[in-house]
Amino acid sequence: MRICRIAHPGGIDYAVLEEEGFALLLDPFEAQPRTTGVRVPAARARLLAPIEPRTVVGMAHNTGPADRALPPAAFLKAARSVIGPGAQVRLPDDGGHVVAEGELAMVIGRDTAGVRPVDLLSCVLGFTAANDVTDRAAQSRDPLWTEAKSRHTFTPIGPWIETDLDPADVAITLAVNGSEAKTASTRDLARDPGEVLAYLSRLMPLGPGDLVLTGAPAPAVPISAGDDVSIRVEGLGELVNPVEAFPLPDGLAA
Amino acid sequence: MRICRIAHPGGIDYAVLEEEGFALLLDPFEAQPRTTGVRVPAARARLLAPIEPRTVVGMAHNTGPADRALPPAAFLKAARSVIGPGAQVRLPDDGGHVVAEGELAMVIGRDTAGVRPVDLLSCVLGFTAANDVTDRAAQSRDPLWTEAKSRHTFTPIGPWIETDLDPADVAITLAVNGSEAKTASTRDLARDPGEVLAYLSRLMPLGPGDLVLTGAPAPAVPISAGDDVSIRVEGLGELVNPVEAFPLPDGLAA
């Protein structure tokens, strides 16, 4: 099942993707999500970020197997940095050196508190593609990574939540302007999604709608104003976002 | 006005504190919040965290004036680490070295996007007391501070949101088991609340209900299981939380 969040003439709703459009959902976090009976044709709907998380957490240095030598470490991204498919990634007005990172993200479906580590993957509602946009210049001057990771628009996710996906070995392709820059598989991650959840759930509470970025198995790619950046996840879909410069209006500049 | 969030026989609601109890509010973020007409006596209500933020952000090294020599830096705390007055702060099962930090926190009332720096304080709905619980042991081994700052229960806030407070010079007293450990004023902060908002609002979107911890003007104090820790903010009120050890249940230990 592909769970979407859509804007349509009737408002904003969760919905299931069907051949001709969308079937609205009562509550995607129900054990057996039910449709409302209302359908929206594709032409009348726009895909939004498939979730509005309270927590967005990513894994630091979780790329190739060499990272297993490092202790696991996580970082938070501001929940309001999340944007949906097609929305603009806005480059900071101070230039920076911004890169895209293509990742598989887990959407949590139920509270992880008290769940045994071996059962944690059962708390995952599904998966979505994520672009963990990062300002390398800010990252090098701020060891907390807040500015580097949490700027407005720095967490594109989508296009939907795929509930039927085995995360063990899916290819992630990062492309800029249609040119395929990098492909790698989640099997290359130092710590797999189950290990990531086991680490995080000891550290902090996770609950319905929270988003866990599992790490980029392939190198990051620089992005510039005017680019279109795409993250394609095998068996899931493609997340595309335009990149724009975002000068602050007069009176807001430093 | 003191805006509370309460659990009562009718559910969970925002309310205004009155002499004999609480007057329920329709929406605390309205320009002129209206009461519903329903009153709840104090004996039938329990204070919860006065807000459920999407973003919890704190200022790093924003203590004494010497910190002005450092560039401003912010860190995120997991939104789900927020707890209310009287709720247990749970110490990590690995021991750690946990300290309490007494801070004045701003509760954002409206979107800060596009607001001129000089007008940002008008986006603040009010103020609450915050205990920025921090695991110093984790902080020294993790430069990202995620484990140190975002553990479950590590952000007690309350007891309510005071809308009529000038944040420029309020005394904050941190006490453990009734013994007044430290008192200092927000006027000692390296960067005042207006400067903090000016820095943060360039960095990330802030919106209704978000919580900004302004920094601890006084030194942190170690806390242990069995302690009661209190943050008293002049003109606002007192936030008290018990501290408990929290061994993980069998099967959840590392």
Side-chain angles (χ1 to χ4, degrees):
Chain A
M1 184 167 61
R2 290 177 164 176
I3 298 174
C4 309
R5 214 169 118 257
I6 59 170
H8 61 100
I12 290 176
D13 284 287
Y14 288 102
V16 177
L17 182 68
E18 298 186 329
E19 253 181 58
E20 314 259 308
F22 302 91
L24 301 191
L25 278 174
L26 278 169
D27 175 3
F29 297 104
E30 283 187 321
Q32 301 290 337
R34 290 166 294 165
T35 53
T36 64
V38 176
R39 288 190 150 68
V40 177
R44 308 201 69 186
R46 182 168 55 88
L47 287 168
L48 304 175
I51 207 79
E52 288 193 294
R54 284 195 73 194
T55 308
V56 181
V57 59
M59 292 300 286
H61 56 73
N62 195 39
T63 56
D67 282 347
R68 286 199 75 90
L70 299 169
F75 58 89
L76 293 164
K77 297 192 82 159
R80 293 185 197 272
S81 70
V82 168
I83 58 172
Q88 288 180 357
V89 173
R90 291 175 171 180
L91 298 183
D93 54 311
D94 59 3
H97 168 56
V98 179
V99 298
E101 299 184 6
E103 306 195 9
L104 182 68
M106 299 185 265
V107 177
I108 305 298
R110 62 187 179 95
D111 209 318
T112 61
V115 177
R116 293 187 313 160
V118 294
D119 298 328
L120 280 166
L121 280 175
S122 72
C123 297
V124 174
L125 173 65
F127 299 87
T128 192
N131 186 348
D132 178 19
V133 178
T134 303
D135 182 342
R136 289 275 189 254
Q139 201 171 26
S140 66
R141 66 176 176 258
D142 171 14
L144 295 166
W145 294 8
T146 309
E147 186 179 345
K149 293 284 190 182
S150 286
R151 278 189 186 267
H152 189 37
T153 75
F154 267 26
T155 314
I157 61 171
W160 40 64
I161 301 163
E162 172 62 69
T163 61
D164 305 310
L165 187 80
D166 177 349
D169 183 11
V170 291
I172 301 175
T173 302
L174 176 52
V176 176
N177 301 326
S179 150
E180 295 205 358
K182 308 282 176 189
T183 300
S185 165
T186 54
R187 76 162 179 270
D188 301 323
L189 292 171
R191 291 179 175 87
D192 68 29
E195 290 173 287
V196 166
L197 275 188
Y199 170 69
L200 290 175
S201 66
R202 282 179 57 86
L203 206 70
M204 63 175 69
L206 292 172
D210 285 345
L211 190 72
V212 177
L213 278 56
T214 57
V221 172
I223 52 175
S224 308
D227 285 345
D228 277 301
V229 57
S230 145
I231 315 286
R232 200 168 68 239
V233 176
E234 180 190 3
L236 195 157
E238 186 179 20
L239 167 69
V240 182
N241 296 86
V243 180
E244 303 294 342
F246 187 57
L248 284 173
D250 284 351
L252 276 178
Chain B
M1 184 167 62
R2 290 178 163 175
I3 298 175
C4 309
R5 213 169 118 257
I6 58 170
H8 61 99
I12 291 176
D13 284 287
Y14 288 102
V16 177
L17 183 68
E18 299 186 327
E19 253 182 58
E20 314 259 307
F22 301 91
L24 301 192
L25 279 174
L26 278 170
D27 174 4
F29 297 104
E30 283 187 320
Q32 301 290 337
R34 291 167 293 165
T35 53
T36 64
V38 176
R39 288 189 150 69
V40 178
R44 308 202 68 186
R46 183 168 55 87
L47 288 169
L48 303 175
I51 207 79
E52 288 193 295
R54 285 195 74 192
T55 308
V56 181
V57 59
M59 292 299 286
H61 55 72
N62 194 39
T63 58
D67 283 347
R68 286 200 75 89
L70 299 168
F75 58 90
L76 293 164
K77 297 192 82 159
R80 293 185 197 271
S81 71
V82 169
I83 58 172
Q88 288 181 354
V89 173
R90 292 174 170 181
L91 298 183
D93 55 309
D94 59 2
H97 168 54
V98 180
V99 298
E101 299 184 6
E103 307 195 8
L104 182 70
M106 299 186 264
V107 177
I108 305 299
R110 63 186 178 94
D111 209 318
T112 61
V115 177
R116 293 187 314 160
V118 294
D119 298 327
L120 281 167
L121 280 175
S122 73
C123 297
V124 174
L125 173 64
F127 299 87
T128 192
N131 186 347
D132 178 18
V133 179
T134 304
D135 182 342
R136 289 275 189 256
Q139 202 172 24
S140 67
R141 67 175 176 258
D142 172 13
L144 295 166
W145 295 7
T146 309
E147 186 180 345
K149 294 282 191 184
S150 286
R151 277 188 184 267
H152 188 38
T153 76
F154 267 27
T155 313
I157 60 169
W160 40 64
I161 301 163
E162 172 63 70
T163 60
D164 305 311
L165 187 79
D166 177 348
D169 183 10
V170 291
I172 302 175
T173 303
L174 175 54
V176 176
N177 302 325
S179 152
E180 294 203 0
K182 310 282 177 190
T183 300
S185 165
T186 53
R187 75 163 181 269
D188 301 323
L189 292 172
R191 291 179 175 86
D192 68 29
E195 289 173 286
V196 166
L197 276 187
Y199 170 69
L200 289 176
S201 67
R202 281 180 56 85
L203 205 68
M204 61 175 72
L206 292 172
D210 285 346
L211 190 72
V212 177
L213 279 55
T214 57
V221 173
I223 52 175
S224 308
D227 285 346
D228 277 301
V229 58
S230 146
I231 315 286
R232 201 169 66 241
V233 176
E234 181 189 4
L236 195 157
E238 186 179 19
L239 167 70
V240 183
N241 296 86
V243 181
E244 304 294 343
F246 187 58
L248 285 174
D250 285 350
L252 277 177

